[in-house]
Amino acid sequence: MSKQLSCSERTTTATTIDESLRPLLIHGLKGIEKESLRINRGGSISLSPHPAQLGAALTHPNITTDYSEALLELITPALSDGTEVLDSLTDLHKYVCANINDELLLAASMPVGDLRNPAIPIAEYGSSNVGRMKHIYRQGLSYRYGRCMQVIAGIHFNYSLPEAFWPQYQHSMKNVDDLRSFTTQAYMGMIRNLQRYGWLILYLFGSSPAVAKSFIDSRQSAHFRTLEKFDETSYYKPFATSLRMSQIGYFNPIQSTFHISFNSIEEYIRDLSRATTIPYLEYERIGTKAGNRYRQLNTHFLQIENEYYTSVRPKQPTQSGERPLQALGSRGIQYVEIRSVDVDVFEPTGIAIETMRFLEALSLLCLFQPNSGHDLKQHDEISNNALLVANRGRDPSLKLLDNRREVPLRQWALMLCEQMQEICEILDNGNADTPYTCALHQQIEKIRHPELTASARMLTAMRAQKMSITELVLQKSHEYTRYFRNAALDATIKRNFDLQIKASLAQQKQLEATDEIPFDQYLSNYFSQNTSARLLDEFRKPMQTTQAPARNGHVEAHSRRHFST
C-alpha cells in the first residue's frame, strides 16, 4: 500500500460529501462494453460471418458486433457490485471462446495483421430496415475514414447513480428545479469534469504505446512521422500511453472543425443536431447513393449523432426507432459512458477490477466537484492535454495546462488521487479489505513509478523477449483464449446463454418478417426526428410523475442494446 501524499501534494479543494448521501453512493450501477476482434491464429482479422452459435448481432442484448463483422462487442448487465460485473464479462468470454471454433479474441486495442479495406468485413445485420440502416451507416464510415480506424477496439465503462440518490442530492444542494432537469444538469457537470481530468485515464490505463507496421500502412497519417521504429514490424513512442487515443488512432480531424458544447443538455442537443443536418462538401462528393445502392446514410458532417467521437457521452437507452438525441430530449440522462479505456493487454477480460473501482471513484469525484462550463479555450486545453498524455504521458518533464496554468502531470495526478480518498473510503463501506482504497493506492504507485503502467510494461516485455508488438499481443491472445476455453462455465449460465441465442435469432426473423414500409421511407421517418427545437421542447416538458421503476427495470434499461448505432 502506498504512503500518504505529502503536504505539498495535497489540494485545498477536496470535497466533503454530505452524510445523508454516503450510504446511497455504494449502490451505483456499473456496466462494461468490451470490443474484441475475432482473428485467426496468425493474427489476421477473421473473414467469416458472425457465428450463428453466438446468435443475431442485431438483437442479442449481450453479444453483438461493432463496426466489423469480426469486431465482437460484449455487453454486461448494469450491476451495483463491480465484482459481479467482471464475473459477467468473464462468463461472456467463456461462452464466446467456446463458440468461435479455432479463432482467437485479440487481446489488445490496436489491430494487427492485414488491415487493408478488403481484409476488414463490414458488419451485417440482415434484411430488416433497422439492420440495413446499421450496415449502411458502417459503409459510410468506411468511405469517410477507412476501415482500419474503425476496428480499433476499446472498453466503455458505464456508470449511473442509484435513483434514490438524486432527490436526496437535490435536497442537499437546495435546488428547486424539476428533478429530471437537476439530474441531467448534474450528469453534464460530471461529464465536463471527466473530460477535464480524462488525461488521467489515458495515463493510468493506456495500453497502446506501439502499433504494427501494417496499421501504419493502412491508416496513412502524416502523424506517423512522429513515431520511432521499434523493429522491422513495430513502431512506437517511448513515452506513449494510448496511441489509440492519439492523432493516429481513433481521431477525426474533420470533427474538430465544429464544436459540440457540453455546458448544458440543451447546448449539447442543439450542436449535435446541427452536425447531423449540415452537409459537408467532401461527403457530398462521395454521394448518398451510387445508382440504387446506398454508400452512406447522408452527406452531413455526421450521418447520425453516434458518429461523433468523444471520450465521454451522456446516455439514455433508446426505444424502437428512436434517435439517441430524441431519447435524451425526452427522458434526460440515465447514465454516463466513459469511452477512453484501452483493452488491457495484461488482463484476460481486458480490464481489471481495480480499474473499474478507480473509474467509479473518479466519476463520483467529477460529480461532486463544481464545474460551471467550458469556454472554447478550456475545450482546446482539454483536447491538447489528452493528446499530450496519449503521446508522451510517461515523460517525467511533461506539463499540462489547467486553466492556462502549467502543472506537472505527476503533481496534478496526485492531487486528484488525494481528493478521491474520501470517496474510496465511502465506497469501501466498512470492508476490512478496503478494495477501493487499495485500488486508489495502486494507481498512486503508477503515478510515482511510471514503469508500472501497462504501456510501460508492454514496451519492457517487447524488449526483454525481443518481440514485435504483433508477437506480444498474439502471445496474450493465445494465452487468454486458451484460458477461457479451459475454464468451466456454470451450467445454468450456459443454459441461459443458449436460450438468449435462440431468442435473438427468432427476434431478428420476426423483425425481417414484419417490416411494412420501404427502406427509403423508414430512413425519412427516422431522420424526421432530427429537429433540435422539437428535441429541446421535449426536454423542457415537466417530468411525468410516475412510480419509480423497479430496480430490475433500471438494470435492464441501463444495459439494453439499442439499434440506432
Side-chain angles (χ1 to χ4, degrees), residues 393-491:
R394 287 178 287 104
D395 185 341
S397 65
L398 181 60
K399 293 183 179 180
L400 306 177
L401 284 177
D402 180 18
N403 289 320
R404 303 170 181 82
R405 180 176 62 94
E406 277 197 341
V407 183
L409 179 150
R410 179 176 184 266
Q411 177 184 329
W412 196 358
L414 289 173
M415 284 181 176
L416 291 172
C417 288
E418 169 73 3
Q419 290 175 301
M420 291 169 62
Q421 288 189 354
E422 179 192 9
I423 291 170
C424 288
E425 289 167 5
I426 294 170
L427 294 175
D428 283 334
N429 193 32
N431 187 329
D433 294 331
T434 62
Y436 284 86
T437 299
C438 287
L440 175 64
H441 288 170
Q442 185 182 92
Q443 310 319 315
I444 290 173
E445 288 301 302
K446 293 179 189 175
I447 296 166
R448 296 187 188 280
H449 305 285
E451 66 273 14
L452 298 177
T453 59
S455 57
R457 291 169 60 204
M458 287 178 70
L459 295 177
T460 299
M462 290 165 64
R463 291 190 182 99
Q465 300 178 55
K466 295 183 170 55
M467 303 173 77
S468 67
I469 184 61
T470 299
E471 289 169 332
L472 175 65
V473 300
L474 279 182
Q475 178 192 76
K476 292 297 182 182
S477 301
H478 280 276
E479 176 187 340
Y480 298 152
T481 303
R482 187 166 54 247
Y483 165 77
F484 287 122
R485 283 185 178 139
N486 291 335
L489 182 62
D490 179 84

Side-chain angles (χ1 to χ4, degrees), residues 230-486:
F230 186 89
D231 60 24
E232 291 303 315
T233 63
S234 310
Y235 286 78
Y236 80 118
K237 288 190 175 183
F239 297 114
T241 61
S242 178
L243 293 180
R244 166 180 171 260
M245 297 298 292
S246 76
Q247 297 93 331
I248 69 170
Y250 216 68
F251 181 81
N252 182 1
I254 293 171
Q255 292 188 11
S256 64
T257 62
F258 58 86
H259 175 65
I260 305 295
S261 172
F262 286 79
N263 287 341
S264 68
I265 194 66
E266 290 87 355
E267 291 180 32
Y268 179 79
I269 289 174
R270 178 200 68 196
D271 292 349
L272 203 46
S273 180
R274 285 174 181 170
T276 61
T277 55
I278 299 172
Y280 179 60
L281 180 59
E282 290 298 319
Y283 301 156
E284 288 186 319
R285 288 174 179 155
I286 296 169
T288 302
K289 286 183 177 181
N292 292 324
R293 188 179 182 85
Y294 276 91
R295 308 185 87 186
Q296 54 186 338
L297 293 175
N298 53 55
T299 61
H300 303 154
F301 271 99
L302 304 175
Q303 298 173 88
I304 57 176
E305 46 268 56
N306 282 359
E307 189 174 336
Y308 176 56
Y309 303 129
T310 181
S311 60
V312 193
R313 275 183 185 164
K315 299 286 283 191
Q316 171 65 245
T318 57
Q319 298 168 358
S320 178
E322 185 181 40
R323 299 191 64 165
L325 286 184
Q326 183 77 15
L328 285 171
S330 298
R331 300 183 295 282
I333 300 172
Q334 181 164 304
Y335 66 97
V336 170
E337 178 186 58
I338 299 175
R339 302 163 50 83
S340 55
V341 183
D342 283 358
V343 176
D344 189 339
V345 174
F346 298 103
E347 291 292 330
T349 60
I351 188 169
I353 186 63
E354 292 81 7
T355 301
M356 292 174 56
R357 288 170 179 153
F358 182 88
L359 291 173
E360 180 180 0
L362 179 63
S363 298
L364 287 173
L365 174 69
C366 289
L367 172 70
F368 290 120
Q369 281 212 344
N371 186 312
S372 58
H374 294 148
D375 58 28
L376 288 177
K377 286 187 177 179
Q378 288 169 317
H379 177 268
D380 289 343
E381 238 183 43
I382 289 166
S383 298
N384 290 335
N385 283 345
L387 289 173
L388 280 171
V389 175
N391 284 294
R392 44 187 285 255
R394 287 178 287 104
D395 185 341
S397 65
L398 181 60
K399 293 183 179 180
L400 306 177
L401 284 177
D402 180 18
N403 289 320
R404 303 170 181 82
R405 180 176 62 94
E406 277 197 341
V407 183
L409 179 150
R410 179 176 184 266
Q411 177 184 329
W412 196 358
L414 289 173
M415 284 181 176
L416 291 172
C417 288
E418 169 73 3
Q419 290 175 301
M420 291 169 62
Q421 288 189 354
E422 179 192 9
I423 291 170
C424 288
E425 289 167 5
I426 294 170
L427 294 175
D428 283 334
N429 193 32
N431 187 329
D433 294 331
T434 62
Y436 284 86
T437 299
C438 287
L440 175 64
H441 288 170
Q442 185 182 92
Q443 310 319 315
I444 290 173
E445 288 301 302
K446 293 179 189 175
I447 296 166
R448 296 187 188 280
H449 305 285
E451 66 273 14
L452 298 177
T453 59
S455 57
R457 291 169 60 204
M458 287 178 70
L459 295 177
T460 299
M462 290 165 64
R463 291 190 182 99
Q465 300 178 55
K466 295 183 170 55
M467 303 173 77
S468 67
I469 184 61
T470 299
E471 289 169 332
L472 175 65
V473 300
L474 279 182
Q475 178 192 76
K476 292 297 182 182
S477 301
H478 280 276
E479 176 187 340
Y480 298 152
T481 303
R482 187 166 54 247
Y483 165 77
F484 287 122
R485 283 185 178 139
N486 291 335

Side-chain angles (χ1 to χ4, degrees), residues 68-120:
S68 173
E69 192 75 345
L71 185 57
L72 286 170
E73 185 172 352
L74 308 182
I75 305 167
T76 74
L79 305 167
S80 60
D81 188 327
T83 303
E84 292 181 5
V85 174
L86 194 59
D87 288 344
S88 174
L89 187 60
T90 300
D91 289 338
L92 284 166
H93 278 81
K94 291 177 183 177
Y95 193 84
V96 166
C97 288
N99 287 281
I100 55 174
N101 300 318
D102 62 346
E103 292 179 340
L104 311 173
L105 294 184
L106 185 67
S109 281
M110 304 304 281
V112 296
D114 186 354
L115 298 172
R116 294 170 296 176
N117 275 1
I120 302 173

Side-chain angles (χ1 to χ4, degrees), residues 511-531:
L511 280 172
E512 292 173 348
T514 56
D515 276 341
E516 296 179 350
I517 59 174
F519 181 68
D520 289 353
Q521 183 62 50
Y522 175 85
L523 276 190
S524 177
N525 293 349
Y526 183 84
F527 286 119
S528 68
Q529 302 175 64
N530 191 25
T531 303

